[in-house]
Amino acid sequence: MLISPVNAQNLRVISLYPGHSDNIFALGGENILIALSENDDVDLLPNLPRVSIRSGAEKILSLSPDIVVTRTFAQRINPNLYNILERAGVKIISLDPPNWSDFPEYLRILASELNLNPDSAINKLNNIRADISRQAERIRTKPRVFIEATSREIHTCAPDSWAANLIKLSGGINIADSVRPLRSGSSIAPFGLERVIKSLANKNLDIYIIQTGAMNNTTLKDFHSRHWAGALKNVKICEIPEKYLSRPSLLGLEKGGRMLIEIFAESQKGEQIN
C-alpha cells in the first residue's frame, strides 16, 4: 500500500538518481515528483520529463522545482549547477545510495525532508523484508550462489553489499562471503575464474547469477559464448537486472527478492531457466 504524503501536496521535487526516484514513488510521493533522472526506468512515471545530471541550471529552473534530490557523485560532475540552484532558492538534498544496514535511516531522512511519513516508510521496509523472509521458507535447501557483478576478471559483490544481503534474505548462500572489497566501502570484490572453477570442483556452486546493467553489460548469450561456460553445465545460469539486485530501493528490494526466491525454488525442481 502506498503511503499518503503529509503536507506535501505543494512540493515540486526533481530526482536526479533512480534509487531516490524509486523510493519516493514507493513512499507515496509520486504526486510531488515533477521530473526524473534520464537514467530512471522508462516505465516509472513515463509522462514526467527526464533531466540529465549534466543539465544546465536554466533547464532545471524552467521546471520551477522547490527541491532537487541528488547524490554526491552528481554534484562532483556538475558542481556549478547546484550552486546556481541554491542561489535561486532551490533546496538541494544530497543523499548517497545507502548500504543495507543504513537503509532505514536513509528512508527516514528522505521521507522527513519531503514531508512524507518516516514511520510509515520504516514500516513498509520491515513489511517487505518480512514478506521476503516468509517466502524464503519454501526453499528446502539453501542454494549456493555466485553473483557475477562484472565479467571483467569475474568480480563479484562484496560480502556486505546490498546484493549479498538480498541473497541471504531470500534463502541463498553467497559462496563469496569471505572476499575483500576492491577498496573500503566498495560493493565490488575480486573473485576470478579460477575460484569459480574451484568452487565447482568442490561442489560448492548451484546457481550462477549474472548481474546485468551499467556495470556489467553481459547477457546469457554472452555467457554461453565463453570458452569455459561448458564447465558449468550442471549449474543454473540466470541473469537479474542490477536495479533489482543492487539498487538500494523499496521497489528493487521487493521485486529482486521475489525473483531470487523463484530462481531458488525452480533450481530445486531441476528445471532449467537459462
Side-chain angles (χ1 to χ4, degrees), residues 116-184:
L116 301 173
N117 189 321
D119 292 333
S120 294
I122 301 304
N123 287 338
K124 187 174 180 71
L125 170 62
N126 291 338
N127 288 339
I128 292 174
R129 286 182 173 176
D131 185 56
I132 293 172
S133 182
R134 281 193 299 271
Q135 291 183 53
E137 292 176 1
R138 63 191 261 212
I139 310 300
R140 299 185 304 276
T141 303
K142 293 180 180 294
R144 293 155 295 188
V145 181
F146 177 77
I147 306 168
E148 177 187 294
T150 65
S151 58
R152 184 179 180 182
E153 300 177 352
I154 313 297
H155 286 159
T156 190
C157 294
D160 204 28
S161 66
W162 183 274
N165 277 284
L166 185 53
I167 291 289
K168 181 179 179 180
L169 180 66
S170 304
I173 298 172
N174 175 23
I175 70 166
D177 63 351
S178 62
V179 297
R180 294 185 177 182
L182 286 173
R183 59 186 178 279
S184 178

Side-chain angles (χ1 to χ4, degrees), residues 12-56:
R12 295 176 59 81
V13 178
I14 295 176
S15 171
L16 292 182
Y17 168 60
H20 298 331
S21 305
D22 284 356
N23 289 314
I24 294 169
F25 179 87
L27 297 178
E30 69 272 22
N31 292 329
I32 64 175
L33 287 166
I34 61 169
L36 304 178
S37 159
E38 64 179 0
N39 296 320
D40 268 279
D41 301 336
V42 295
D43 56 348
L44 181 69
L45 302 175
N47 294 326
L48 292 186
R50 263 47 180 177
V51 181
S52 168
I53 59 175
R54 293 179 172 82
S55 294

Side-chain angles (χ1 to χ4, degrees), residues 2-3 10 17 37 40 82 89 92 112 117 126 130 168-169 187 203 208 211 215 220 225 263:
L2 294 177
I3 301 167
N10 297 323
Y17 168 60
S37 159
D40 268 279
Y82 299 96
I92 307 299
S112 297
N117 189 321
N126 291 338
K168 181 179 179 180
L169 180 66
S187 63
K203 298 183 179 180
Y208 189 108
Q211 176 177 267
M215 289 194 302
L220 286 174
S225 68
I263 289 169

Side-chain angles (χ1 to χ4, degrees), residues 195-208:
R195 294 176 75 175
V196 171
I197 300 302
K198 184 177 180 179
S199 298
L200 184 66
N202 293 336
K203 298 183 179 180
N204 192 39
L205 180 59
D206 301 309
I207 300 173
Y208 189 108

Side-chain angles (χ1 to χ4, degrees), residues 210-271:
I210 302 166
Q211 176 177 267
T212 62
M215 289 194 302
N216 193 28
N217 187 21
T218 299
T219 65
L220 286 174
K221 183 178 180 181
D222 297 329
F223 176 87
H224 288 299
S225 68
R226 298 173 186 175
H227 70 277
W228 51 270
L232 273 65
K233 62 182 179 180
N234 294 322
V235 174
K236 183 176 290 295
I237 315 297
C238 51
E239 60 180 279
I240 296 182
E242 179 184 325
K243 62 185 179 181
Y244 298 139
L245 194 58
S246 291
R247 182 186 294 171
S249 82
L250 292 169
L251 296 181
L253 176 66
E254 192 167 24
K255 187 156 187 177
R258 186 164 58 247
M259 292 176 71
L260 286 171
I261 289 167
E262 289 302 317
I263 289 169
F264 296 168
E266 288 183 16
S267 72
Q268 296 187 356
K269 298 176 185 176
E271 299 172 1

